[in-house]
């Protein structure tokens, strides 16, 4: 079971294969999944996080499916077992109250379960239900240094001030390439909401040979208060092209921290190695402050009708099911980039810092930095009027910031998934006793048929600054109080060397900034500035988050 993905979207893996190779069913039937679409995938195949585990009677894991089971499980099938009322003890009632403490969020999540069974007519008619509720407040902290870039001198000049000295001091081979960490980034992801799930069953035994029943399954999960706070300290080196390094974006290797061999430069291993210099200081780099408002609401519901009939040596069973699911995901990122440019006529950022990866030792990680002159955000001459529909970022070289580049942007998307699934199946099994000698015997023969229909609608809309008036932005929308200053320290204090709210971590008030951006936004698509477009495609609309889609192509 994996629950480490964003929003704790739990999935299950079998045979060492990912969840995409596992088929998940309920009472042997496929069910519409409320998992969000992503890229070219529409919904996860086994969204365990959509349901409270307390509404099931357990799960059955089948690694070698037979022909009468659902197709699609290359690694196997996980069937969520639903209770059957007539097989349960009459008058059974349970209640369970518990909780889970989240240390990072400093929150106690309640967990409540209750269930009941009642035989309305003894051995003939019975009902049963299970209900489960849990709080969904949690936090995940991430520190990453995911980009390493070469600092070897090339046709565009030097990228490090002391490359030769470092190579000589640590005896790095002449054919080796030295790379350095490009950035150090702190991320806090926080979610707050709840999940409620219900399963109900009614069974009627019409005769000793015939039993009819129905399952109802409903689950709803809302994470309606979520943020993703990010601050990034980055050197002024371009990831792939040194020609685009920031003007005066110097890097100096820390002579006191030894390098280590990282990877071969060629597939055959004969072309030298890349070495990582784990610690650098830099001048005129990039400072990024961002916060993303992240919410989603998912719901699934359905009914399964079933019947079993015995006739002499025959057993017949049939099922009819219908289910539907929705997922509404919203991610709105707002932020600022304080950065330089390769153009020598532009003023460098003045953001200087230090990055030390710690070579795998959390206590040795160090990321620090600061601005020679702080940026200002009040009364800036942002472009007057509405922003073109093609833009999601705007840069400004203002005298108030000594001509240094300040960019603001909006990113993220709204993504909606609507699906419904209907199916019917019939199976017949004939018990028999024949074979060929004593080595091959047949106890029964089973055959049947199944029909299934699934309809999926996926809507994915990317936010833009189209129609927005940036002159509503000001310094009151920034804060030095990220969640790590209000809850447990970042990474629970296990990375003491990285920056926090006392020395550079600035976050953005999501709700207030979004409100400021949408205050006076153009609401008539006919009045939207087109930018470089000749005309606006009919598909461009204002999404439910209150931003216009970003139009990217000429029409």
């Amino acid at each position: 079971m994996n629950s480490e993905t964003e929003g704790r979207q739990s999935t299950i893996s079998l045979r060492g294969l990912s969840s995409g190779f596992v088929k998940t069913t309920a009472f042997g039937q496929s069910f519409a999944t409320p998992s969000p679409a992503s890229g070219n995938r529409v919904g996860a195949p086994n969204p365990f996080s959509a349901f409270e585990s307390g509404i099931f009677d357990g799960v059955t894991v089948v690694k070698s499916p037979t022909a009468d089971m659902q197709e699609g499980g290359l690694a196997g099938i996980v069937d969520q077992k639903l209770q059957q009322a007539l097989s349960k003890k009459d008058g059974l009632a349970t209640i369970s109250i518990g909780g889970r403490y989240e240390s990072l969020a400093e929150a106690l999540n309640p967990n409540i379960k209750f269930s009941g069974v009642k035989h309305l007519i003894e051995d003939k008619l019975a009902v049963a239900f299970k209900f489960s509720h849990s709080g969904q407040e949690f936090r995940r902290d991430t520190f990453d240094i995911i980009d390493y870039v070469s600092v070897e001198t090339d046709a565009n000049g030097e990228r490090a001030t002391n490359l030769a000295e470092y190579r000589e001091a640590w005896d790095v081979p002449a054919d080796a390439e030295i790379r350095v960490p490009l950035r150090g980034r702190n991320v806090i992801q926080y979610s707050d909401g709840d999940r409620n799930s219900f399963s109900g069953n009614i069974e009627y035994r019409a005769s000793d040979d015939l039993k009819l029943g129905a399952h109802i399954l409903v689950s709803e999960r809302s994470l309606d208060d979520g943020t993703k706070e990010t601050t990034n300290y980055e050197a002024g080196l371009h990831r792939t092209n040194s020609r685009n390094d920031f003007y005066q974006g110097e890097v100096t290797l820390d002579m006191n921290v030894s390098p280590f061999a990282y990877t071969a430069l060629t597939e055959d291993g004969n072309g030298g190695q890349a070495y990582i210099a784990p610690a650098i200081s830099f001048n005129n780099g990039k400072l990024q402050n961002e916060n993303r408002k992240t919410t989603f609401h998912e719901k699934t519901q359905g009914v399964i009708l079933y019947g079993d009939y015995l006739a002499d040596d025959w057993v017949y069973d049939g099922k009819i099911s219908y289910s539907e699911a929705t997922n509404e995901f919203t991610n709105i990122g707002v932020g600022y980039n304080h950065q330089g440019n390769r153009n020598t006529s532009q003023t460098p950022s003045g953001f200087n810092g230090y990055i030390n990866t710690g070579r795998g030792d959390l206590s040795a990680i160090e990321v620090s930095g600061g601005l020679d002159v702080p940026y200002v955000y009040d009364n800036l001459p942002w472009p007057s009027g509405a922003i073109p529909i093609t833009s999601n970022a705007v840069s400004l070289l203002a005298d108030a910031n000594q001509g240094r580049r300040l960019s603001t942007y909006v990113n993220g998307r709204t993504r909606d998934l609507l699906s419904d699934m209907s199916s019917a199946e019939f199976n017949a099994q004939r018990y028999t006793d024949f074979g060929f000698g004593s080595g091959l015997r047949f106890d029964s023969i089973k055959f049947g048929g199944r029909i299934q229909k699934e309809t999926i609608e996926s809507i994915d809309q990317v936010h833009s600054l189209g129609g927005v008036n940036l002159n509503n932005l000001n310094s009151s929308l920034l804060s030095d109080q990220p969640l790590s200053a209000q809850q447990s320290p970042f990474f629970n204090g296990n990375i003491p060397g990285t920056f926090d709210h006392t020395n550079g971590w600035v976050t953005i008030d999501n709700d207030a900034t979004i409100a400021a951006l949408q205050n006076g936004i153009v609401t008539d698509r006919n009045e939207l500035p087109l930018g470089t477009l000749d005309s606006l495609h009919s598909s461009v609309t204002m999404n439910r988050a209150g931003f216009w889609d970003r139009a990217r192509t000429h029409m």
Side-chain angles (χ1 to χ4, degrees):
M1 177 72 77
N2 173 30
S3 60
E4 297 175 351
T5 55
E6 185 170 346
R8 292 193 178 173
Q9 296 286 347
S10 302
T11 58
I12 195 169
S13 302
L14 292 176
R15 298 183 183 272
L17 297 175
S18 68
S19 61
F21 297 95
V22 180
K23 178 71 173 180
T24 300
T25 58
F27 196 61
Q29 301 299 295
S30 296
F31 218 77
T33 62
S35 299
S38 178
N40 60 359
R41 296 182 297 108
V42 182
N46 52 15
F48 272 73
S49 62
F51 300 96
E52 286 287 308
S53 60
I55 66 169
F56 299 111
D57 270 10
V59 298
T60 299
V61 178
V62 181
K63 292 187 176 181
S64 300
T66 54
D68 59 337
M69 296 180 180
Q70 299 285 296
E71 65 176 357
L74 181 63
I77 295 174
V78 176
D79 184 49
Q80 298 162 323
K81 298 169 63 177
L82 298 174
Q83 62 184 337
Q84 294 181 264
L86 283 173
S87 63
K88 295 286 185 176
K89 183 180 179 181
D90 183 25
L92 179 66
T94 63
I95 184 169
S96 172
I97 299 176
R100 182 185 69 252
Y101 183 72
E102 295 281 344
S103 61
L104 283 177
E106 296 182 344
L108 180 63
N109 288 316
N111 191 292
I112 301 171
K113 307 174 186 177
F114 54 89
S115 63
V117 179
K118 181 61 179 175
H119 289 204
L120 303 176
I121 303 176
E122 185 177 359
D123 295 331
K124 294 283 286 184
L125 179 64
V127 294
F129 76 93
K130 289 186 176 183
F131 174 83
S132 185
H133 162 87
S134 70
Q136 297 282 297
E137 184 176 3
F138 48 86
R139 190 181 115 190
R140 183 174 74 170
D141 294 355
T142 304
F143 173 82
D144 67 50
I145 298 176
I146 60 175
D147 293 303
Y148 292 91
V149 298
S150 169
V151 289
E152 297 295 331
T153 300
D154 59 17
N156 297 309
E158 294 183 352
R159 308 189 84 184
T161 62
N162 61 341
L163 181 63
E165 295 91 331
Y166 188 86
R167 185 185 296 274
E168 180 180 1
W170 292 104
D171 197 24
V172 178
D175 63 348
E177 177 183 276
I178 296 180
R179 301 177 185 177
V180 300
L182 180 63
R183 71 179 187 184
R185 185 175 69 163
N186 289 359
V187 182
I188 290 179
Q189 295 171 266
Y190 170 79
S191 297
D192 187 15
D194 58 24
R195 180 173 57 198
N196 298 288
S197 299
F198 172 85
S199 66
N201 175 251
I202 181 171
E203 286 193 321
Y204 175 63
R205 191 181 301 278
S207 67
D208 290 342
D209 300 325
L210 176 64
K211 183 177 72 173
L212 304 173
H215 289 295
I216 298 175
L217 188 61
V218 181
S219 189
E220 186 171 13
R221 186 180 188 225
S222 295
L223 298 179
D224 47 18
D225 185 9
T227 61
K228 184 178 182 180
E229 299 177 334
T230 301
T231 287
N232 179 34
Y233 288 10
E234 186 170 326
L237 305 179
H238 193 271
R239 285 175 174 79
T240 58
N241 187 351
S242 63
R243 183 172 174 269
N244 294 322
D245 289 352
F246 290 170
Y247 171 55
Q248 295 186 358
E250 298 175 334
V251 165
T252 300
L253 313 183
D254 190 334
M255 299 292 294
N256 296 316
V257 182
S258 63
F260 60 90
Y262 179 58
T263 186
L265 294 175
T266 59
E267 290 186 3
D268 60 13
N270 296 321
Q273 286 187 304
Y275 278 71
I276 299 298
I280 62 167
S281 58
F282 63 87
N283 292 328
N284 299 309
K286 172 183 173 181
L287 169 64
Q288 178 188 22
N289 304 118
E290 178 181 293
N291 200 354
R292 291 195 178 206
K293 182 179 179 66
T294 305
T295 63
F296 79 85
H297 174 261
E298 60 183 12
K299 183 176 182 179
T300 183
Q301 56 189 352
V303 60
I304 303 172
L305 307 178
Y306 62 93
D308 301 308
Y309 180 66
L310 302 177
D312 298 325
D313 292 331
W314 287 89
V315 177
Y316 304 97
D317 69 83
K319 298 183 179 73
I320 299 174
S321 69
Y322 176 80
S323 59
E324 56 187 24
T326 60
N327 184 292
E328 297 177 349
F329 172 84
T330 303
N331 182 289
I332 307 173
V334 290
Y336 288 99
N337 283 322
H338 316 74
Q339 64 192 68
N341 190 275
R342 72 177 186 177
N343 193 331
T344 58
S345 65
Q346 291 192 15
T347 307
S349 67
F351 180 66
N352 309 322
Y354 178 82
I355 300 174
N356 186 339
T357 68
R359 298 186 54 144
D361 181 357
L362 294 183
S363 64
I365 291 174
E366 184 178 347
V367 181
S368 59
L371 290 159
D372 291 338
V373 179
Y375 278 70
V376 299
Y377 307 91
D378 294 320
N379 303 314
L380 293 176
W382 294 107
S384 59
I387 302 299
I389 190 64
T390 53
S391 300
N392 72 325
V394 175
S395 295
L396 183 67
L397 307 176
D399 292 339
N401 285 319
Q402 303 77 47
R404 294 174 295 170
R405 179 178 293 270
L406 176 67
S407 301
T408 189
Y409 58 88
V410 61
N411 57 26
R413 63 203 332 117
T414 61
R415 197 168 56 204
D416 298 333
L417 178 74
L418 304 93
S419 67
D420 63 75
M421 181 180 293
S422 56
S423 67
E425 74 171 54
F426 174 78
N427 301 296
Q429 185 173 9
R430 173 72 160 85
Y431 288 97
T432 185
D433 183 17
F434 77 92
F436 301 95
S438 59
L440 180 62
R441 306 296 300 175
F442 294 91
D443 296 324
S444 65
I445 298 174
K446 188 175 185 178
F447 59 91
R450 174 180 175 80
I451 185 172
Q452 178 174 302
K453 178 183 178 181
E454 183 175 13
T455 303
I456 297 175
E457 179 182 3
S458 182
I459 304 171
D460 193 355
Q461 297 173 296
V462 179
H463 306 312
S464 77
L465 283 174
V468 165
N469 187 340
L470 294 178
N471 288 291
N472 295 324
L473 299 178
N474 57 69
S475 61
S476 69
L477 303 176
L478 287 86
S479 167
D480 62 357
Q481 293 293 301
L483 284 170
S484 58
Q486 305 169 46
Q487 301 172 350
S488 294
F490 179 69
F491 236 81
N492 238 355
N494 292 318
I495 308 181
T498 191
F499 55 89
D500 61 16
H501 64 286
T502 66
N503 59 357
W505 196 338
V506 174
T507 189
I508 297 171
D509 186 328
N510 276 116
D511 292 332
T513 302
I514 292 169
L517 292 173
Q518 294 180 347
N519 182 14
I521 189 172
V522 174
T523 57
D524 186 344
R525 71 189 310 273
N526 295 317
E527 297 179 5
L528 285 169
L530 299 182
T532 58
L533 297 180
D534 298 325
S535 61
L536 195 62
H537 193 270
S538 59
S539 65
V540 176
T541 60
M542 179 175 282
N543 60 43
R544 56 179 170 77
F547 289 98
W548 288 95
D549 296 339
R550 178 154 54 101
R552 305 179 183 179
T553 57
H554 293 272
M555 302 303 297

